Amino acid sequence: MSQPPRSNRGHRDRNGDHRRYRDDNRRSSPDRSSSRPPYYPREDEHVRDVPRVEHQDSKCTHICSRRGIVLICAVLTNSLVLICLIAAHMVTSGMSSAASLGGFNINSNFNLQGTELQQVRELDSQISQMRAPGIYGGIPFSLVFAAISLVFVVASNKPPHRMPRKLLVGALLFQAFGAVVYVVAVGLYLHFIIGVNGTDVCKRRERLYARNGYTWMNCDVSGADAAVALFGLITAILYTVGAVLTIQTVRGVKRYLQERKRREADRHQPRSQPQRVPMRAETTSV
């Protein structure tokens, strides 16, 4: 009567051994089947290499930040101001200036002859000379601001906390100065153009052109001059926005540096008392 239970116990023990052996095989099978353990350090190395690749490609992300995009747009609007200045000078210089560039022959395309033709040429040259300060002052003005804006764009290829503080302050002062100066420059340019268009020379030229059917050559502010003023005001707005963003960046960098100093101070503070903490832990455990 006592033997069957013993046999059952033996079978149970054997089955338990088999189960344990199967569990051990299952646990050890991944170690045997694939070379999984040797790949662990490779995965870690791959994870460590990822930030390096991001760090190499992060220059564009810093340049294309909000400050960088605003400065890039300012470079483009400065270029548009330059193009519109040249176009305005060419349009308002009259037919004789276009003929001198080789566009057409003034004697064959004009309905003017004799003294009227000579008067148109003289009036066109006078208007060009009167408008010369506007273009000779506007071209270097827009070129200088576009070049400086481009320099600040290229210089912002680093995180703000790694950039020199003088560079951020310089960008802030430049954009604030550019916003004010561009508004003043647009006002002076329009005042200068309206003054030139209000002279007797412009009125006489308008009458000569209108007598022969060229009514578009008038003494009003041309579309190219209006475009110069428009893009100039847009540039001033961009510089204002850039100055505000730079102020926020300077404040953020200041807070970041203060927080980093505080964290470093917190790290060094427990190291100065390394023995007191374990002694208190031992007394509390006892």
Side-chain angles (χ1 to χ4, degrees):
M1 296 296 292
S2 59
Q3 291 179 357
R6 291 178 181 175
S7 62
N8 291 330
R9 289 178 182 174
H11 286 293
R12 290 175 184 174
D13 294 337
R14 293 175 182 176
N15 292 331
D17 294 336
H18 285 294
R19 289 176 183 174
R20 292 176 183 174
Y21 181 73
R22 291 175 182 175
D23 294 336
D24 293 335
N25 288 332
R26 289 176 183 177
R27 293 177 182 175
S28 63
S29 60
D31 297 334
R32 293 179 182 177
S33 59
S34 63
S35 56
R36 188 64 179 175
Y39 282 93
Y40 287 135
R42 294 182 182 176
E43 291 179 357
D44 294 337
E45 290 176 358
H46 179 68
V47 173
R48 292 176 183 175
D49 292 336
V50 171
R52 296 178 182 176
V53 177
E54 291 179 355
H55 180 70
Q56 292 178 357
D57 297 335
S58 61
K59 291 183 179 180
C60 181
T61 59
H62 296 305
I63 291 176
C64 297
S65 61
R66 291 182 299 175
R67 294 183 300 107
I69 290 172
V70 169
L71 284 173
I72 291 171
C73 293
V75 173
L76 295 176
T77 51
N78 277 295
S79 302
L80 291 173
V81 169
L82 176 63
I83 293 171
C84 292
L85 277 170
I86 297 172
H89 182 74
M90 292 178 65
V91 169
T92 57
S93 294
M95 292 285 193
S96 58
S97 63
S100 63
L101 294 175
F104 56 89
N105 188 1
I106 189 170
N107 295 322
S108 61
N109 289 279
F110 252 14
N111 296 325
L112 298 173
Q113 294 179 357
T115 58
E116 289 185 350
L117 179 60
Q118 186 66 28
Q119 288 179 359
V120 166
R121 288 179 175 177
E122 291 178 357
L123 293 174
D124 286 340
S125 62
Q126 290 178 10
I127 291 294
S128 298
Q129 292 176 1
M130 293 171 66
R131 289 177 60 95
I135 188 168
Y136 291 146
I139 288 177
F141 179 83
S142 58
L143 281 176
V144 168
F145 273 90
I148 297 175
S149 301
L150 187 60
V151 168
F152 282 112
V153 170
V154 176
S156 62
N157 59 352
K158 297 179 182 179
H161 63 276
R162 293 183 180 178
M163 293 174 60
R165 185 177 179 83
K166 294 181 180 179
L167 185 62
L168 291 174
V169 175
L172 172 61
L173 295 177
F174 166 73
Q175 291 177 100
F177 176 75
V180 176
V181 170
Y182 245 104
V183 173
V184 175
V186 168
L188 291 176
Y189 180 78
L190 290 177
H191 178 73
F192 174 74
I193 294 300
I194 291 172
V196 172
N197 292 340
T199 57
D200 293 335
V201 177
C202 184
K203 298 295 183 182
R204 281 189 292 161
R205 189 181 73 158
E206 181 182 5
R207 288 193 294 268
L208 283 174
Y209 275 102
R211 190 182 303 168
N212 292 276
Y214 300 101
T215 56
W216 55 270
M217 186 64 71
N218 51 36
C219 293
D220 298 332
V221 177
S222 64
D225 292 326
V228 171
L230 176 62
F231 289 120
L233 292 177
I234 292 174
T235 307
I237 293 171
L238 289 173
Y239 282 140
T240 304
V241 175
V244 173
L245 293 176
T246 307
I247 291 173
Q248 294 178 357
T249 302
V250 171
R251 290 179 179 177
V253 170
K254 185 177 180 181
R255 288 194 300 267
Y256 172 78
L257 294 176
Q258 290 177 353
E259 184 68 19
R260 189 172 68 178
K261 289 180 181 179
R262 187 181 64 81
R263 289 180 181 178
E264 290 178 355
D266 293 339
R267 289 178 183 177
H268 291 296
Q269 189 173 3
R271 290 180 182 178
S272 60
Q273 300 174 354
Q275 296 179 355
R276 293 182 181 179
V277 177
M279 288 177 66
R280 291 180 182 176
E282 289 176 1
T283 54
T284 54
S285 63
V286 171

